[in-house]
Amino acid sequence: MQHNRDSSGSQARKGNRPPGLRGKDIGMYYRNLARQRKKDRGEDADPKEPQIRLGCNVSAPSGVLERVKEFMAHYSQAPAREDNYVDAQFQKQFRHLLSVNFEEFVLETKERNADLDCVNPKLDERLQLELEQRQLEENGRKRLAARKKLPTMKYADEIVQAVCENQVILIVGSTGCGKTTQVPQILLDDAISRGCASSCRIVCTQPRRISAITIAEWVSYERCESLGNSVGYQIRLESRKPRERASITYCTTGVLLQQLQSDPLMHNLSVLILDEIHERSVETDLLMGLLKVILPHRPDLKVILMSATVREQDFCDYFNHCPMFRIEGVMFPVQMLYLEDVLSKTNYDFQKTRDRRTKRDLPERRMKHEAMIEPYLRRIRNSYDSRVLEKLRLPESEGCEDIDFIADLVYYICENEPEGAILVFLPGYDKISQLFNILDKPKTPKGQRWRDHMAVFPLHSLMQSGEQQAVFRRPPTGKRKVIISTIIAETSVTIDDVVYVINSGRTKATNYDIETNIQSLDEVWVTKANTQQRKGRAGRVRPGICYNLFTRAREDRMADIPTPEILRSKLESIILSLKLLHIDDPYRFLQTLINAPNPEAIKIGVELLKRIEALDQTGTLTPLGMHLAKLPIDPQMGKMILMSALFCCLDPISSAAAALSFKSPFYSPLGKESQVDEIKRRMARNMRSDHLLVHNTINAYRDSRYSHTERDFCYKNFLSSVTLQQLERMKNQFSELLYNYKFLASSNCKDTASNKNSEKIPLLRAIIGAGLYPNMAHLRKSRQIKNRVRAIHTMATDDGRRVNFHPSSVNSGESGFDSAYFVYFQRQKSTDLYLLDSTMVFPMALIIFGDGVEAGVTQNTPYLCVAKTYYFKCNQETADVVLELRSNLEKLLLKKALYPAPIEENGYEKQLIKAIELLLSLDERLGEDYISSDEIDDI
Ligand code: ADP
Ligand code: MG
């Protein structure tokens, strides 16, 4: 081993190291060598001068500088009148945000709503009659009778009385007992029958869009109405609002949070129901924190917290020991089977998966698995067949790595168990569609035999509204219903006829590591609490079975309950949106939450917001920050699309922003990674950008749709058309918002005027850079190893950490880059630290759009530096021009933020844009000069 490493090392390096060095000595040799080199270069001459490593030269030809100066001179001739013309509306709103603190804000709205009176005796009378009438009709009677079978309805009187006597109550009940569908109706019908419904308006929050829709639909059915009368829903970009008064609105928690910006005391509602608070989403945690401030100001507002049975005491304590109701559902016993039991039944053979597996991360995983499973196998060896024990040794036997195994289990149930629907829990959309495809287009004889005896339904957040109700209906006779779902069917949606649950034990969760400042969305093991909820889903109509695809040993290692999401998230978006609620001090407010995030995480968020100029140095919101806060995406992506509107390259940049906020349209079937990589590289057309790749892909997809070949196109290129369509929807949403905020002249993201520069690749890079900044990386060296196609990179992010391109990035293993600088959005830590996505940017883009840009002189060489991180050689003349350009750009951005409007084609502002475009376009030609010739002087 030692010998090998030595020889390959010396081959790869220019300066041959003396033979025979071992261990520490090698390090010492290179350290001394590096010191010697520095001495030779004279860097140690003045010990007081900080060590600066100068990068490439960014000096521009003086002819170009002259033209840039001319453009700027033109720009500065803009009449002062125009500068002072500020959007009165925005100005007012912005000043108000800064000058009024939360308490004052709340008092203001209180005054405004002091005489809000909506009592309407006529309406009350009519509604009363209607209700009585409905209960006489056959449908009405039948549906009411069905409702009355739900456990929650048995507590109706007690709930009404408790709400009457308390401001806050907590209802805890096993899932499916009727909380979500019945509690709002109980309260509304009570108000109607008491003749005071006109002052009743109920809002019930839901964690997810589809639960808001399906539940609203179902409740209006129960009330023998169509949607939009007494019941409606409101989710982002889509709503069927009910009538203003005497109504129930199911809305997502995010929508309600947004409404607080204009109506913080929720004057327009009388009852707020916070549902599924046990999930501990960021939104419900924030809302509960806000409620503690709001409630004293709204003594007449009633709040009902609803939770499944998970740590309910925490909520009760948080709300000063509010009364708690427990609703016991009728639950049939459910048999729990674990992987060892499942394998004893189905005898599935994992050989095929093993053959297909890629070897990327195997050894470490295998060791961890071994440490867990071996002691367990010794304990159970007398109770299980040795073939089963052998299979348990394979890491790929647990979870949902082998989708064929799950399909096989579905067939097993079809064959061996009495009728009853099967509910399969998988982590996310990709796995769901894989299983769906296997069941829908079976390749095995067994699969073909069962194909027509099943009605299969995927259930996930990407499903279009309107498709969902079928999941709830009884399947046709002779068919068994199979529902393949994400965590959504765990508590927020109940499907009655489920008897068999297949629990893969996996789910997707965000994670945030403060130390490395890395947030990621990972597939992880669920907690014991999740498994208990999932088990419960099998016992609604009769005794059921829960098949867990993990061993009891695995379950022992699972956490008891999920960590609240706010402790696993980056906080910049949250901090920014709190500013819109006039909550200025994030430290103080977030400290009051049921679980307070680490102050260090808050600090990281605040610092980032300062660097992207959403907050000023004192932490106060800037006009730009206010726009970013209003956009429903990460502030960095928000800045990216705002800039793309000003620089007329909306379509490509909004593609990048959409994919970063959602996900890549490519999927990666096991064992086909290299094929997908090749396709991506082809589509990236050497643009050196995972972000522009997305846009190329969207463009190609549009072409394929035009020629009606999109199915084929997606299939061949491993693309998900569902994802692509969602990306298009998001792009349209962005352009609509930017149009509403007046940054665009059209709400169409393909509009010609908004896309004048969409073909200028250096500009696109720069705008992506402007958005993703300060997430930068510097490629110090890329080495092509003999006989290898791929290059090896030496790269670090601006915090000095070593990184590499993720194998799925189009930049991975490439060589011959025209620039050594990259921006990225996400890093991921597995065996190494990876940039999941990256775009090559030229130094000039960092210099124009970065922060902390300063000129200086070191080693008798003038330079420009970005954030004291990257130093570029740069002559005085260029430095002067660039700094002036930056101060002009800053003014322009401020003006645009205060007075949003597109940049006029022939106006003064366009001159500044032209100056920037001109400087950026230099990069295309300079290319070669930018390659860093730095040596590696450390190991
Ligand atoms: P909880 O909120 O306590 O978990 P729900 O109020 O969501 O319970 O569900 C109560 C009942 O309503 C369930 O038995 C379920 O069958 C029924 N239900 C809810 N939504 C639908 C729907 N869209 N179609 C058919 N039945 C539904
Ligand atoms: Mg519910």
Side-chain angles (χ1 to χ4, degrees), residues 275-293:
D275 204 0
E276 312 281 345
I277 55 173
H278 65 275
E279 282 197 14
R280 301 299 307 274
S281 69
V282 167
E283 286 86 3
T284 50
D285 274 15
L286 285 178
L287 207 44
M288 284 193 281
L290 289 166
L291 273 176
K292 296 196 58 142
V293 192

Side-chain angles (χ1 to χ4, degrees), residues 175-176 178-181 206 215 275-276 306 491-494:
T175 41
K179 297 182 298 296
T180 311
T181 52
Q206 288 301 301
I215 287 168
D275 204 0
E276 312 281 345
M306 303 209 290
T491 57
S492 50
V493 181
T494 297

Side-chain angles (χ1 to χ4, degrees), residues 155-180:
Y155 293 82
D157 294 339
E158 280 168 78
I159 291 173
V160 166
Q161 196 183 347
V163 169
C164 173
E165 288 167 3
N166 300 278
Q167 186 167 23
V168 182
I169 67 165
L170 169 62
I171 299 181
V172 182
S174 53
T175 41
C177 70
K179 297 182 298 296
T180 311

Side-chain angles (χ1 to χ4, degrees), residues 21 109 157 161 213 250 279 313 342 396 432 590 767 769 849:
L21 287 183
T109 58
D157 294 339
Q161 196 183 347
I213 300 175
Y250 289 94
E279 282 197 14
Q313 195 59 44
V342 178
E396 56 268 32
I432 289 176
L590 293 175
I767 300 299
F849 294 112

Side-chain angles (χ1 to χ4, degrees), residues 553-565:
R554 170 64 68 192
E555 187 176 46
D556 284 343
R557 295 189 165 215
M558 289 177 177
D560 289 329
I561 53 163
T563 311
E565 194 187 6

